[in-house]
Amino acid sequence: MAATVVGGLGIPLIDVLAVETFVFREQPFGGGAVAARTVVGQVLLSDSTGGVLLDSVDGGRYLISGDDVVSRFADDAPFTPVTAEGLGERLLEELPPGFRVHTTEHYVIAYDTSREYAEWASSLLESLQEALVRYWTRQGLELHAPRFPLGVVIHRSAEDYQRIARAEIGTAGAVGYYSMRTNRVRMFDLTGSDEVRGGARGPRSGSRREITQMLSVPAAEPLVATIVHEATHQVAFNTGVMQRFADLPLWLVEGMAVYFEAPNAGSSRGWRGIGKVNRQRLVSFRRNLPKWNRNSLTSLIGSDLRLRDARTAADAYADAWALNYFLIQRREEQYVAYVKTMADKKPLEGPEANASASEIARDRLAEFVTHFGPLPELEQEFLRTMSRLK
């Protein structure tokens, strides 16, 4: 997931409702010339300095500083989310020539690879959406249909994907990412990756049979898992499981996505479904158990640092998966109650701007203990259970 740093508009925010056109200054990631951007949308939050949190009609969410606002004016027309057809047109306007659009019930997929691959991806995404919504509804969460059609961009080549990813989020990512800012998933055609092709050269036929064969090999597992992971973020943030730009602990946000990503070589979709053991993450978790110490669990729950630091992220993601898996399997009622509490959090609500890391950790740990009980007892059962998991 491509996260955007939020908060710090300076003063408490107030709820407002507005349909307006904003022109504001925006600087690309990694520097470059500041350019004016025009967005039509609904103001969710505002402060007295003119800073706003804005939902655009195509599902984007913009945190705009008052100093960057060039102009704003109200529109008498009601706020109406863009239609699937309208989002497709917008995507084609933004993307280079050669892209086409494939639309399903919930998704608008712009692609410059084969239509067969777009259809394969859309089938995976629709299956995931259906499974996630059904799962959380059965757990008692009150979900809603996505307010906006869900945008997905699929590039034929990894090079094109990486170039745009660096401009949009400042990094090339892995094989795909979800942006909370644009509300879109961006990826490239996995059948073109070196891992899947095994060094083969020459043109791809792009047939459904070839796609199924290539993505059923073990080397494709982590690649498909990444797509499922990022798509899980998109579904969660658009159906009410979580709220974009809310103050959410990263162990939950990322660990939940890893829980649902479990890959399956041999499947034409490369995805096991919900609740299967994520073998790759389990192997990583167990490999690092000798390094586990009295601070490992508290640091995972109380801070996002281990998950954000590239040097520790791989191990931390495995820990986050393990914790989510354990809580879902052994503390399901408490876990669902905790998720409901997180779902109620509003955008930009959170610690005071001057809160220290220790104060933030204290509050997060207290919230966790309120739902799951004292950490020492839970940690013992957690480590015992996950070390014996088969």
Side-chain angles (χ1 to χ4, degrees):
M1 175 181 65
T4 303
V5 178
V6 300
L9 286 187
I11 64 171
L13 297 166
I14 57 173
D15 289 309
V16 295
L17 292 175
V19 178
E20 300 185 64
T21 299
F22 276 77
V23 180
F24 59 96
R25 290 181 289 269
E26 183 179 59
Q27 185 171 37
F29 277 94
V34 175
R37 186 184 185 98
T38 302
V39 174
V40 177
Q42 185 178 54
V43 175
L44 301 180
L45 298 165
S46 179
D47 67 22
S48 62
T49 71
V52 300
L53 182 66
L54 180 75
D55 261 1
S56 66
V57 293
D58 64 357
R61 182 163 287 185
Y62 298 86
L63 184 62
I64 307 171
S65 166
D67 292 337
D68 289 330
V69 176
V70 176
S71 64
R72 58 184 291 187
F73 58 89
D75 191 334
D76 293 335
F79 180 86
T80 304
V82 69
T83 63
E85 180 181 5
L87 179 57
E89 292 173 353
R90 284 170 176 253
L91 289 171
L92 292 180
E93 289 175 359
E94 296 172 12
L95 293 164
F99 276 81
R100 294 174 288 172
V101 169
H102 174 60
T103 303
T104 64
E105 181 180 359
H106 297 103
Y107 294 89
V108 177
I109 299 176
Y111 64 97
D112 67 346
T113 187
S114 70
R115 181 174 181 83
E116 286 79 6
Y117 188 85
E119 291 174 346
W120 176 88
S122 68
S123 177
L124 171 67
L125 296 173
E126 287 288 359
S127 295
L128 174 67
Q129 160 124 344
E130 180 183 0
L132 285 172
V133 170
R134 182 171 61 248
Y135 176 86
W136 286 118
T137 300
R138 287 176 177 173
Q139 303 306 316
L141 266 64
E142 295 182 4
L143 303 186
H144 55 76
R147 189 183 187 193
F148 308 93
L150 304 180
V152 177
V153 179
I154 304 176
H155 296 274
R156 178 174 177 81
S157 75
E159 292 75 18
D160 288 345
Y161 158 78
Q162 291 164 355
R163 175 173 47 80
I164 294 182
R166 281 190 287 266
E168 185 171 84
I169 63 172
T171 179
V175 297
Y177 62 90
Y178 166 69
S179 167
M180 286 199 294
R181 185 173 180 274
T182 66
N183 199 34
R184 299 171 188 168
V185 169
R186 188 181 295 273
M187 66 179 87
F188 65 88
D189 184 337
L190 299 180
T191 63
S193 66
D194 291 338
E195 294 92 332
V196 172
R197 288 174 65 80
R201 295 292 180 264
R204 290 169 272 160
S205 69
S207 69
R208 189 61 179 260
R209 179 183 178 186
E210 181 188 58
I211 293 167
T212 299
Q213 289 176 338
M214 297 180 76
L215 297 182
S216 296
V217 301
E221 280 193 358
L223 306 182
V224 176
T226 298
I227 299 305
V228 173
H229 181 110
E230 301 303 330
T232 296
H233 287 313
Q234 190 180 40
V235 174
F237 284 116
N238 281 273
T239 59
V241 179
M242 297 176 180
Q243 179 72 252
R244 277 187 286 167
F245 292 178
D247 178 41
L248 302 172
L250 207 56
W251 73 264
L252 177 71
V253 176
E254 295 298 339
M256 182 189 294
V258 179
Y259 177 82
F260 289 117
E261 79 179 23
N264 181 21
S267 167
S268 61
R269 290 196 181 119
W271 180 54
R272 289 179 180 272
I274 292 173
K276 304 296 184 180
V277 174
N278 192 316
R279 295 295 172 188
Q280 292 178 329
R281 304 294 184 175
L282 180 60
V283 169
S284 297
F285 175 76
R286 285 180 172 164
R287 184 178 61 240
N288 293 306
L289 273 179
K291 295 186 292 185
W292 193 272
N293 58 59
R294 60 187 300 177
N295 185 54
S296 296
L297 186 59
T298 56
S299 66
L300 181 69
I301 297 169
S303 171
D304 297 338
L305 290 179
R306 286 175 55 202
L307 286 149
R308 294 195 183 281
D309 189 332
R311 296 168 297 180
T312 57
D315 292 347
Y317 269 70
D319 292 349
W321 166 78
L323 181 58
N324 277 266
Y325 184 90
F326 167 77
L327 294 174
I328 291 171
Q329 299 296 321
R330 295 299 185 94
R331 299 284 193 278
E332 184 179 41
E333 185 176 341
Q334 296 98 315
Y335 183 86
V336 171
Y338 182 81
V339 171
K340 287 181 178 179
T341 299
M342 298 300 107
D344 289 337
K345 292 196 172 186
K346 305 301 181 185
L348 302 187
E349 287 184 351
E352 297 293 331
N354 61 351
S356 67
S358 61
E359 290 172 328
I360 294 172
R362 178 200 62 202
D363 292 344
R364 285 191 174 183
L365 287 164
E367 196 166 41
F368 184 93
V369 170
T370 296
H371 285 86
F372 300 108
L375 282 184
E377 292 85 346
L378 181 137
E379 183 175 25
Q380 288 181 10
E381 185 182 355
F382 166 57
L383 294 176
R384 183 171 61 250
T385 299
M386 299 309 294
S387 64
R388 296 174 179 174
L389 184 64
K390 297 181 179 180

